[in-house]
């Protein structure tokens, strides 16, 4: 297909890869766990159902991505470890971390009702993700020891805290004060003496967290005529727990971990948090540049087929994408403009945004996860009679553009792409619907110019391309507009703001300068 003069903007996209032999770990944790758990009335200090839901999501992630060979999670976080020889997405960090957090979130929303049949999901949950690079297996071991230590310390503290508040009659401030200087041993004694609780006898799910990884299991596939079973080895994800997941005894006992990651030669007793923090490096996006987060549906070709989307454009599917993007704009105040076409959306953050201190992985994951969550939540509102057959996922990337001109060229590039693809696809599907095979249609269109395609549509199929819905031809632009506050006009109350901000979705030409001149506040 033709290239536009805007293609040069692609050169601003940089792909960070994790070079071998570094081990890739994807760490995800919930964006606003405190608020989410309060709104949804999770039990304190631990909610067994909420933890089991997290574990089910991790299980689904392992089933979906064969390169993930180990995972560990507790509370509101999970870490996924890829096999050392992984070539998943050419080891591109943004792709890997965004796809995994997106899929995890989609599964979380999909499975919510299974775990909380009587609780409505009040707002879309979202998770942050980042890649942790482990230069050696020993560093992975130290990382796991650190996470499990955190699980224990947090759980022990929270158990004491909520016992003091719920049964000890203390206020939250008083409980905090009591625990301020209490050491590990003191906390165990407090639980034992005041509340008769043997900490080590409490649920391992809370104290130790959960490991999920695949092992080979024997499956009976059928029975011979004489009744003897025919067995086959199959890799199946399962749940494992241990007091010390970074210990040799646990790790080296599992053949799959030895094969895909290697064996622990020493035990790891103590970790130095400063040492671990040194490899939790997160790159920051260049200051004073426009940040664009572009997300794109993963394998939406298949997703559209399975869900029988209209070809080449499905009004409802595009409408759902727009609903999600509007919600993203509402949630993240630093976003000033969104542009969407097909299964992709670009979100423009203002130049001086300090969202997550401009950490790329945090911004990308927050947006892609929130969008995925919304997509699953809103599905049934849009497709009333169509069931969501499997959880969708989106990948995301962050790109910086240094000037207004280049940012506008970026958006023009996406809109030209929308036009070129839509014109081609409209011809292609018209030819196919008229009886041509897909390869015949492809050959027919090879080398044709825009004018010829328009003529084909008009002469052969009676379609005037320029009268097709604007949303198909120009994509969707979402932004805020200021308008006079109608409440003020009615009651003239001086305390009411004179103007109010409204989110609008338009299908218009954003390549021409006139759009930006008509809306100077967007890039102001
Ligand atoms: P990756 O993004 O590389 O994972 O592959 P993909 O299959 O998602 O392809 P890509 O993003 O390049 O293109 C988007 C695809 O989504 C299109 O080729 C269509 O197959 C499908 N798609 C998006 N919107 C619609 C729609 O409204 N109707 C139909 N029928 N298909 C759509
Ligand atoms: Mg796609």
């Amino acid at each position: 297909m033709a290239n536009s003069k805007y293609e040069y903007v692609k050169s601003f996209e940089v792909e960070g890869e994790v070079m071998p032999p570094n081990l890739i770990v994807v760490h995800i944790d919930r964006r606003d766990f405190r608020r989410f758990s309060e709104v949804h009335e999770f039990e304190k200090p631990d909610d067994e159902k909420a933890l089991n839901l997290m574990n089910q999501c991790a299980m689904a992630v392992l089933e979906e991505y064969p390169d993930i060979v180990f995972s560990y999670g507790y509370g509101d976080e999970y870490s996924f470890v890829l096999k050392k020889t992984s070539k998943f997405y050419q080891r591109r960090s943004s792709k890997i971390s965004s796809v995994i957090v997106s899929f995890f979130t989609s599964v979380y929303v999909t499975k919510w009702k299974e775990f909380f049949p009587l609780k409505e999901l009040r707002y879309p949950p979202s998770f942050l993700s980042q890649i942790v690079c482990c230069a050696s297996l020993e560093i992975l071991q130290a990382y796991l020891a650190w996470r499990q230590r955190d699980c224990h310390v947090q759980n022990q503290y929270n158990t004491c805290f909520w016992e003091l508040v719920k049964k000890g009659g203390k206020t939250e401030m008083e409980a905090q004060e009591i625990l301020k200087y209490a050491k590990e041993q003191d906390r165990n004694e407090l639980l034992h003496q005041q509340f008769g609780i043997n900490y080590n006898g409490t649920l391992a799910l809370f104290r130790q967290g959960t490991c999920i990884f695949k092992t080979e299991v024997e499956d009976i596939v059928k029975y011979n005529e004489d009744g003897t079973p025919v067995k086959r080895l199959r890799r199946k994800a399962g749940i494992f727990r241990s007091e010390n997941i970074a210990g040799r005894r646990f790790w080296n006992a599992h053949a799959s971990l030895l094969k895909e990651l290697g064996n622990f030669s020493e035990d790891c007793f103590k970790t130095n948090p400063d040492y671990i923090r040194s490899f939790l490096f997160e790159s920051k996006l260049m200051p004073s540049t426009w940040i664009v987060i572009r997300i794109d549906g993963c394998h939406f070709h298949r997703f559209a087929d399975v869900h029988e989307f209209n070809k080449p454009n499905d009004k409802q599917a595009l409408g759902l994408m727009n609903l999600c993007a509007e919600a993203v704009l509402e949630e993240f105040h630093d976003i000033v403009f969104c542009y969407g076409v097909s299964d992709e959306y670009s979100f423009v953050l203002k130049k001086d945004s300090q969202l997550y201190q401009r950490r790329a992985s945090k911004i990308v994951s927050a947006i892609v996860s929130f969008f995925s969550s919304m997509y699953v939540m809103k599905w049934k509102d849009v497709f009333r009679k169509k069931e969501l057959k499997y959880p969708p996922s989106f990948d995301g990337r962050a790109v910086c553009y240094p000037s207004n001109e280049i940012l506008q060229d970026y958006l023009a590039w996406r809109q030209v792409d929308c036009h070129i693809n839509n014109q081609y696809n409209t011809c292609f599907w018209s030819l196919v619907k008229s009886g041509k095979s897909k390869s015949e249609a492809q050959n027919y269109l090879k080398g044709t110019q825009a004018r010829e395609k328009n003529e084909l549509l008009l002469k052969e199929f009676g379609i005037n391309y320029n009268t097709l819905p604007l949303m198909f031809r120009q994509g969707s632009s979402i932004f805020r507009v200021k308008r006079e506050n109608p409440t003020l006009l009615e009651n003239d109350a001086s305390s009411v703001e004179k103007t109010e901000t409204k989110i609008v979705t338009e299908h218009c030409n954003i390549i021409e300068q006139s759009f930006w001149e008509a809306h100077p506040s967007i890039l102001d």
Side-chain angles (χ1 to χ4, degrees):
M1 266 181 241
N3 284 339
S4 74
K5 66 170 177 171
Y6 303 112
E7 297 272 321
Y8 82 92
V9 294
K10 270 204 252 180
S11 62
F12 286 82
E13 300 188 1
V14 277
E15 301 283 4
E17 287 159 36
V18 181
M19 303 305 276
N22 285 287
L23 294 167
I24 302 172
V25 178
V26 181
H27 174 93
I28 74 174
D29 68 309
R30 204 188 302 257
R31 231 178 100 223
D32 58 350
F33 186 54
R34 212 194 162 99
R35 179 175 156 232
F36 189 86
S37 59
E38 271 166 20
V39 168
H40 294 92
E41 295 168 349
F42 282 180
E43 276 177 30
K44 288 163 179 164
D46 295 289
D47 189 297
E48 204 174 333
K49 281 188 202 144
L51 288 171
N52 286 333
L53 171 54
M54 290 288 286
N55 292 341
Q56 278 305 307
C57 295
M59 189 80 93
V61 168
L62 262 94
E63 297 288 357
E64 181 78 7
Y65 306 104
D67 276 23
I68 299 175
V69 290
F70 181 80
S71 66
Y72 172 71
Y74 73 92
D76 62 337
E77 71 162 64
Y78 242 99
S79 298
F80 297 97
V81 185
L82 276 70
K83 65 179 181 187
K84 61 181 174 210
T85 55
S86 178
K87 293 196 168 55
F88 189 43
Y89 282 122
Q90 293 90 49
R91 302 177 70 93
R92 284 181 283 170
S93 53
S94 185
K95 279 252 182 193
I96 298 173
S97 87
S98 57
V99 165
I100 291 174
V101 76
S102 168
F103 184 76
F104 188 96
T105 315
S106 283
V107 177
Y108 194 94
V109 179
T110 311
K111 287 190 180 284
W112 174 268
K113 268 262 153 321
E114 238 176 77
F115 288 82
F116 298 102
L118 302 176
K119 248 181 222 177
E120 195 196 338
L121 195 51
R122 300 266 182 82
Y123 68 89
S126 51
F127 297 81
L128 297 174
S129 67
Q130 75 173 96
I131 294 279
V132 182
C133 260
C134 295
S136 65
L137 188 63
E138 287 68 42
I139 294 182
L140 174 68
Q141 186 183 18
Y143 171 83
L144 294 174
W146 175 53
R147 292 329 300 142
Q148 194 173 34
R149 172 90 196 138
D150 232 51
C151 165
H152 162 69
V153 172
Q154 278 191 33
N155 185 59
Q156 195 198 36
Y157 180 94
N158 290 338
T159 311
C160 292
F161 182 88
W162 289 109
E163 285 298 322
L164 285 166
V165 172
K166 285 193 207 165
K167 295 195 195 132
K170 304 281 182 227
T171 64
E172 293 193 10
M173 285 277 275
E174 285 166 348
Q176 227 168 15
E177 205 50 42
I178 291 169
L179 293 172
K180 204 167 176 181
Y181 302 107
K183 297 215 169 66
E184 206 172 322
Q185 193 51 36
D186 304 334
R187 291 178 189 167
N188 271 354
E189 272 168 26
L190 180 146
L191 284 174
H192 187 62
Q193 283 167 10
Q194 288 198 32
F195 305 108
I197 293 172
N198 168 14
Y199 179 74
N200 290 327
T202 59
L203 266 188
L205 166 72
F206 302 158
R207 273 184 301 119
Q208 300 175 348
T210 302
C211 298
I212 298 178
F213 52 93
K214 284 191 184 142
T215 52
E216 285 193 333
V217 290
E218 259 187 359
D219 260 1
I220 298 175
V221 278
K222 62 173 183 182
Y223 288 90
N224 288 325
E225 277 174 13
D226 63 1
T228 53
V230 178
K231 293 177 182 169
R232 196 188 53 184
L233 278 178
R234 195 167 70 87
R235 282 164 60 77
K236 192 168 179 262
I239 287 184
F240 299 84
R241 292 208 172 84
S242 165
E243 203 77 58
N244 181 10
I245 60 167
R248 281 183 299 177
R249 223 173 80 193
F250 169 71
W251 189 271
N252 294 352
H254 296 286
S256 62
L257 300 181
L258 298 181
K259 184 171 161 231
E260 306 292 6
L261 291 162
N263 73 311
F264 290 166
S265 52
E266 305 275 334
D267 273 325
C268 175
F269 291 108
K270 220 168 181 181
T271 54
N272 175 356
D274 287 339
Y275 165 63
I276 290 168
R277 267 183 216 113
S278 67
F279 53 79
L280 285 181
F281 169 79
E282 277 187 272
S283 68
K284 289 187 181 182
L285 295 164
M286 200 180 286
S288 301
T289 53
W290 294 105
I291 301 171
V292 172
I293 307 297
R294 186 169 78 241
I295 68 168
D296 185 291
C298 296
H299 312 302
F300 256 51
H301 188 79
R302 175 170 169 251
F303 188 81
D305 274 351
V306 169
H307 293 92
E308 296 171 341
F309 285 180
N310 287 337
K311 290 176 165 105
N313 292 294
D314 189 294
K315 244 189 189 137
Q316 285 177 306
L318 295 172
L320 175 57
M321 292 288 290
N322 292 348
L323 271 181
C324 298
E326 283 162 18
V328 169
L329 184 67
E330 215 160 302
E331 175 83 4
F332 299 93
H333 299 282
D334 282 4
I335 296 177
V336 294
F337 189 77
C338 323
Y339 178 72
V341 37
S342 180
D343 67 339
E344 73 164 58
Y345 242 102
S346 297
F347 299 96
V348 182
L349 276 83
K350 61 184 186 184
K351 265 182 151 175
D352 57 359
S353 172
Q354 289 307 318
L355 184 62
Y356 299 116
Q357 293 95 47
R358 296 178 81 88
R359 285 192 171 88
S361 56
K362 291 243 174 358
I363 304 175
V364 172
S365 57
I367 290 177
V368 85
S369 172
F370 186 85
F371 190 97
S372 312
S373 209
M374 208 67 198
Y375 196 93
V376 180
M377 276 181 83
K378 290 272 173 206
W379 176 273
K380 59 183 177 315
D381 294 351
V382 174
F383 295 105
R384 288 179 184 279
K385 291 190 181 138
K386 230 181 244 184
E387 190 199 343
L388 180 60
K389 301 254 172 75
Y390 62 88
S393 56
F394 296 83
D395 66 48
R397 65 177 70 214
V399 191
C400 293
Y401 298 101
S403 69
N404 289 22
E405 289 71 29
I406 302 177
L407 173 70
Q408 282 168 278
D409 280 355
Y410 166 80
L411 293 166
W413 173 50
R414 298 322 303 140
Q415 192 165 45
V416 168
D417 226 46
C418 164
H419 164 69
I420 293 172
N421 288 335
N422 184 56
Q423 199 188 32
Y424 180 91
N425 290 336
T426 310
C427 292
F428 179 85
W429 287 109
S430 300
L431 288 166
V432 171
K433 282 173 196 167
S434 76
K436 286 209 174 358
S437 71
K438 285 185 183 171
S439 65
E440 280 168 346
Q442 222 167 11
N443 285 334
Y444 194 96
L445 292 171
K446 221 177 212 165
T448 51
Q449 301 294 308
R451 191 176 46 80
E452 294 163 84
K453 290 197 191 81
N454 276 355
E455 274 173 19
L456 166 82
L457 287 174
L458 196 61
K459 286 192 183 139
E460 298 284 327
F461 306 108
I463 299 172
N464 178 355
Y465 183 78
N466 292 323
T467 61
L468 291 180
L470 272 173
M471 177 162 72
F472 301 169
R473 287 185 290 127
Q474 303 203 315
S476 303
S477 301
I478 310 178
F479 48 95
R480 297 184 189 89
V481 287
K482 284 204 169 87
R483 59 168 202 182
E484 294 235 333
N485 191 339
T487 346
L488 181 72
L489 302 178
E490 274 163 30
N491 58 21
D492 201 19
S494 51
S495 59
V496 183
E497 291 271 343
K498 273 192 180 146
T499 53
E500 66 170 13
T501 307
K502 202 174 151 253
I503 288 175
V504 294
T505 304
E506 288 188 4
H507 315 291
C508 50
N509 185 330
I510 55 168
I511 300 173
E512 276 170 21
Q513 207 52 33
S514 54
F515 171 80
W516 303 101
E517 283 163 7
H519 302 285
S521 63
I522 297 176
L523 301 184
D524 194 4

